Each structure stands twice: as structure tokens, then as C-alpha cells.
Amino acid sequence: MKAGSFEWHPARSADEAVALLAEYAPQDGRVIAGGQSLVPSMALRLAFPSHLIDINGVEEFSRVRVEGGELVIGACVRHAAFHAPVEPGPLGRLLTQVVHNIAHYPIRQRGTFCGSLANADPASEWCLVAATLGARMVARSVRGERVIEASEWFQGIMTTALEEDELLAEVRLPLLPAGSRAGFYEFSRRAGDYALAMALVAWRDDGGTMRDVRIGTGSVEVQPRRIAVAEALLEGRAASPEAIAAAAAAVSADVDPLEDIHTSADYRRDLVGTAVRRAHAQAGD
Amino acid sequence: MASKMAITLDVNGTEHEIRVEPRKTLSDALRGDCGLTGTNVGCEHGVCGACTVLMDGAPVRSCLMFAVQAQGRKLRTVEGLAASPGNGGKLHALQQAFIDNHALQCGFCTSGFLMLAAGTLEQQPDIDDASLREVLSSNLCRCTGYQNILRAVRQVRDAGKGGAR
Ligand SMILES: Cc1cc2nc3c(=O)[nH]c(=O)nc-3n(C[C@H](O)[C@H](O)[C@H](O)COP(=O)(O)OP(=O)(O)OC[C@H]3O[C@@H](n4cnc5c(N)ncnc54)[C@H](O)[C@@H]3O)c2cc1C
Ligand code: FES
Ligand code: FES
């Protein structure tokens, strides 16, 4: 249960971090952010990095700000930053609702939003948020900067479009317009455990009619995903219990669930439908 | 093997100059190099919370950090809760409440729970019952069934003594 040997490279600036990454990534080096996924996997000897580029001392990465209709979350913004709304609109309230489901209070003091996106665990709440709301990931390296859409970012279990010399510098989440409603629900066996299934439902309320409907699922398939067939059933409709039930059934029918020691595929398929209904019921104003 | 690095850890207001490999966790450095064995290590991968310490006032899992990362930060461990023996040795209000409420049996989880509760009550002295329950669900106790731990921490919160001896 002790991590293997590595060399530690604390970066003081973003430029220094990408320079260190360019130098050490080819020698099995990687970034350490909150360490709340990486350190356990090193302790379990599932990961053996030879070099760690530590970005905890990079001041500019700790900022979260609103810019051009997007919430911009820097590489070292901790989960705990979302315990209170980071912006006054519906997105800020949604993120605060979601964050309480991520791990435990002390782990949230260290773990980061961007670290979750880079780790791309199928059961990550932040990955579900990013996939459903259409986040844009800003990757930086010595070669420059590029923006990766959520639809391109996720490439399977714990796999992303990030190249080995690229650092996820920030995640840009579109703000939800006024009048939006959004709800989240997950089922896990114990408080703080990874969820067995989760769902996020968001829409704009247009005088009782649902517009711009987004329904996303996480912890069900290899990566979080929007379920277009279910969204289409609700678009332009009133949010009646029958319509929601039909959308939930469409989600259950559409997914290709993972199977593991905790859950059979059938159970997960059933659970995710329930998660959709409860996420909808949880949606605040 | 990466060579050892000379670092200084500020623990309970005392500076400890130690030499560690980068791979050494903060929990192992506190116990093995600083001689502060009050912080316990259970699972070593973030699940149990026995290793909880305060870093700049926030409760963190010391097994999920490397000691080299804690330089320049203010660390507090269970040894820092009570007054020193030369100073009367008075227990922290949380320690007294754990004794009074039977909030420990074997004691293995206790230092972690105390630091979790101390950090939480200092940050949020008026924390409501539901939030306190959520925070205390972070750590595992195999003995007490948790109710007495909750009772002890609520008692200290209600007395407004979260940060006091
Ligand atoms: C007991 C326990 C329970 C947990 N429960 C949950 C849960 O319910 N839901 C959940 O979502 N998570 C959970 N986690 C994981 C936690 O949320 C982590 O904080 C998160 O997965 C990773 O973020 P981090 O900052 O800690 O990343 P790290 O552990 O530092 O890094 C994780 C990986 O991402 C890479 N990386 C990190 N940041 C960057 C970056 N900016 N650019 C490029 N690569 C980067 C690292 O190289 C590493 O490969 C749990 C953890 C523990 C220990
Ligand atoms: S020893 Fe650190 S959480 Fe279990
Ligand atoms: S008192 Fe024994 S584990 Fe908590």
C-alpha cells in the first residue's frame, strides 16, 4: 500500500507546468492535481508514474470566473469551491446540488473539478455535468492551446482526447439561461460511494412548455452521454408525469449498461430510468 | 529510487525538519519522521478517514497527500488538540465530549473523527444537523455505530465551543 518511487516537480506557473509536462510526459510523467484519484491508485500500485508535475502551487489555476456567458473553471479549483453557488444563476445552484454527491467532505477539500474531467471515471458527477451541458475543455501544451468539445472529450472508460503532453487548463461550462430548471439524482449504496446510476435533466421553461431539453446519464455506460431519443420526447411538451415517465423509459431502453460485481446490466437499466424521473422531480427554479 | 528531499513541516506550531522521499505520504511522515503517532492509518487509500488532519484549517486525508506537498502549510494533528501537559493538559471540548458520550471504543478512528469535527466546527460553528451528518459520514468507525459520535459533536456545537478547550 505504498506508492512507487517518483520525482516531484512543483510548478509555479501554467507556463512552467506545460514545459515540465512536455519534458517528462515521454518519461512516464503526469500531472497531479488534487491527488484524490491518483494517490490511491499509486498506493494500490495501479499507477506507477516516474515523474509528477504538481500544479497545486499555480495561482492562476485556482480561479473560477464568469466570462462571455460561460463559467470558467481553472485546473486547480477544488470540489469544495462549489459547496456554495459560484454564480447566482441556475448553473451555480445546480453545481452546489451536485457537489454534495462527490466523495466526502475532506476529499472535496483537495479533489478538483478539472481532475475529475481528466480522470474521466464513468461514475464522475462532474463528467456527467460536462457531457450534458456541453462543456468545452481547454487543453494547453508547449505547442499551444486547443478547445475540445464534450462530444469529443470522452473516449471510453477513463480515456479522454487529451494528448500526453497536454494539460487541462480550464473547463468552460455554458451558463444556463434565466428560466432554466435543472435537477440531478444519483443512487449509491452508501453516502460518498461512487453512484450505481445517475441522471441530470435540464430545460428552459417557456410558459409551461419544455424547451432545450437535455437529459444525460452517468455511471451507466462507459462514459456519460446525452440521450437524444428521450430529449426529443420532452421537447416542446408540458412536463406531465406521463411525459416524464415516457422519457425515463426511453432512456432505459436506449442505454447499454455496464455490468460489475455491484450491479447487473438489467438492474442498472431499471435504476437509470428512476434516476431520470427523480432528477426531473428535483429540478429547482 | 528518487533521492530524499529536505523539507520542513509545521505541525501544531512546531517546525519539523525531516528528509523524505517524494513518495512518502503525509501520514507516514507525521508518524514515522515527526514521531506524531496520534494520526492513525487504516486503509491507506482514502476510504476510512482515520488519517484525517487539518491543513490550513481544512480537514484532509493525510494518506492522500505526499509530505513534500505540505511544506509551507499549517498542519494540525490530534496531538495539538489538548493543552500541553506543562500547561495543565486540559482536553479539547471535543475530546471531553467523546469521553462523556461514549463516542469511542477501540479508539482507532477517534483521532480522525476529532480532527474532522474540529475543522468542521471551526469553519462552520452553526452547521445544521443534516450537514453535520453528511460531514461525519466521511469517516468509518467499526465500533460505535456512529450515533454517539454524532451526539458528542452536536453537544460541542450547541455549547458553541467548537474551537475551544
Ligand atoms: C474514497 C473516495 C471516494 C470518491 N468518490 C467519488 C465520487 O463519488 N465521485 C467522483 O466523481 N469522484 C470521487 N472520488 C474521486 C475524486 O473526486 C477525485 O478528486 C477526482 O476523481 C480527481 O480529481 P483530482 O484533482 O483529485 O485528480 P488527481 O487524482 O490529481 O488526478 C487524476 C488523474 O487526472 C490527471 N489530471 C488531473 N488534473 C489534470 C489536468 N489539469 N490536466 C491533465 N491531467 C490531469 C492526473 O494525471 C491523473 O491521471 C473519490 C475519491 C475517493 C478517495
Ligand atoms: S488511512 Fe487515510 S483514509 Fe484510510
Ligand atoms: S472506536 Fe473503534 S473504530 Fe471507531
Side-chain angles (χ1 to χ4, degrees):
Chain A
M1 295 302 292
K2 308 289 178 193
S5 192
F6 63 87
E7 274 177 41
W8 180 63
H9 309 277
R12 294 286 150 227
S13 69
D15 286 342
E16 191 186 356
V18 292
L20 286 165
L21 194 55
E23 184 177 350
Y24 292 110
Q27 302 170 47
D28 207 8
R30 47 166 127 172
V31 173
I32 181 167
Q36 306 297 289
S37 290
L38 183 57
V39 180
S41 56
M42 288 170 70
L44 295 164
R45 300 278 173 133
L46 298 170
F48 280 96
S50 307
H51 298 270
L52 288 185
I53 318 304
D54 192 331
I55 61 171
N56 285 278
V58 181
E59 182 74 34
E60 60 197 277
F61 282 157
S62 62
R63 273 178 240 138
V64 46
R65 63 184 196 279
V66 172
E67 189 183 282
E70 291 177 314
L71 184 69
V72 184
I73 302 162
C76 244
V77 174
R78 315 280 170 189
H79 303 319
F82 302 91
H83 282 159
V86 291
E87 66 93 23
L91 179 64
R93 288 197 294 278
L94 173 69
L95 298 178
T96 295
Q97 189 198 341
V98 170
V99 74
H100 289 279
N101 295 278
I102 302 175
H104 303 286
Y105 187 77
I107 290 169
R108 298 198 293 264
Q109 308 292 325
R110 293 288 296 166
T112 65
F113 187 101
C114 291
S116 294
L117 264 295
N119 200 47
D121 191 299
S124 156
E125 287 82 356
W126 291 145
C127 290
L128 169 63
V129 169
T132 310
L133 301 186
R136 302 192 305 140
M137 275 43 86
V138 179
R140 198 183 295 173
S141 70
V142 290
R143 297 176 284 130
E145 207 170 80
R146 66 179 177 126
V147 175
I148 306 169
E149 303 290 333
S151 52
E152 301 289 313
W153 178 258
F154 298 103
Q155 311 247 329
I157 294 183
M158 304 185 96
T159 313
T160 70
L162 206 62
E163 300 287 343
E164 71 167 11
D165 68 336
E166 283 180 320
L167 187 135
L168 176 57
E170 58 194 31
V171 172
R172 296 175 160 260
L173 276 178
L175 294 180
L176 290 169
S180 292
R181 300 185 56 168
F184 169 85
Y185 179 82
E186 76 170 44
F187 180 80
S188 54
R189 291 255 178 241
R190 287 162 302 230
D193 274 11
Y194 283 100
L196 300 185
M198 57 174 115
L200 196 161
V201 179
W203 74 96
R204 188 167 53 78
D205 184 70
D206 180 12
T209 301
M210 301 174 87
R211 305 269 180 215
D212 305 329
V213 179
R214 288 167 183 266
I215 301 177
T217 64
S219 213
V220 176
E221 300 181 318
V222 291
Q223 64 196 51
R225 165 168 88 90
R226 286 176 68 179
I227 311 290
V229 285
E231 292 174 348
L233 288 175
L234 295 182
E235 191 65 40
R237 302 272 308 272
S240 67
E242 295 75 26
I244 304 303
V251 168
S252 290
D254 198 56
V255 294
D256 180 14
L258 293 168
E259 212 158 8
D260 57 36
I261 50 164
H262 307 291
T263 16
S264 67
D266 281 346
Y267 179 60
R268 264 209 166 92
R269 186 185 297 288
D270 198 52
L271 201 53
V272 71
T274 304
V276 168
R277 276 190 280 109
R278 292 187 183 171
H280 173 266
Q282 295 243 326
D285 292 323
Chain B
M1 194 169 91
S3 51
K4 288 191 176 178
M5 297 175 66
I7 62 166
T8 305
L9 293 184
D10 176 342
V11 193
N12 304 321
T14 301
E15 295 203 335
H16 295 259
E17 289 180 15
I18 60 175
R19 288 177 60 77
V20 293
E21 272 186 73
R23 72 190 186 108
K24 182 166 274 188
T25 59
L26 177 58
S27 48
D28 282 350
L30 288 169
R31 291 175 55 84
D33 300 271
C34 303
L36 297 168
T37 52
T39 300
N40 281 340
V41 171
C43 68
E44 298 195 282
H45 65 285
V47 175
C48 74
C51 65
T52 308
V53 301
L54 301 186
M55 186 167 76
D56 295 337
V60 297
R61 309 277 217 225
S62 62
C63 72
L64 293 191
M65 278 189 67
F66 297 109
V68 290
Q69 298 184 290
Q71 293 178 90
R73 317 295 292 265
K74 293 223 172 312
L75 300 167
R76 284 161 61 200
T77 64
V78 70
E79 287 90 345
L81 284 184
S84 62
N87 235 336
K90 187 164 191 282
L91 293 180
H92 186 281
L94 280 164
Q95 290 172 307
Q96 191 59 52
F98 268 55
I99 295 171
D100 296 343
N101 290 280
H102 263 295
L104 66 149
Q105 288 181 30
C106 78
F108 193 83
C109 69
T110 309
S111 42
F113 267 107
L114 285 169
M115 299 320 287
L116 176 64
T120 303
L121 291 184
E122 285 171 20
Q123 288 176 328
Q124 310 172 58
D126 302 317
I127 187 169
D128 62 45
D129 283 353
S131 306
L132 189 59
R133 220 182 149 79
E134 183 197 316
V135 170
L136 292 177
S137 76
S138 304
N139 288 13
L140 297 178
C141 173
R142 299 286 76 187
C143 306
T144 68
Y146 301 103
Q147 292 308 321
N148 291 350
I149 296 174
L150 272 164
R151 198 169 291 138
V153 180
R154 278 201 301 261
Q155 190 180 77
V156 175
R157 176 202 60 194
D158 294 344
K161 286 208 272 193
R165 288 187 181 126

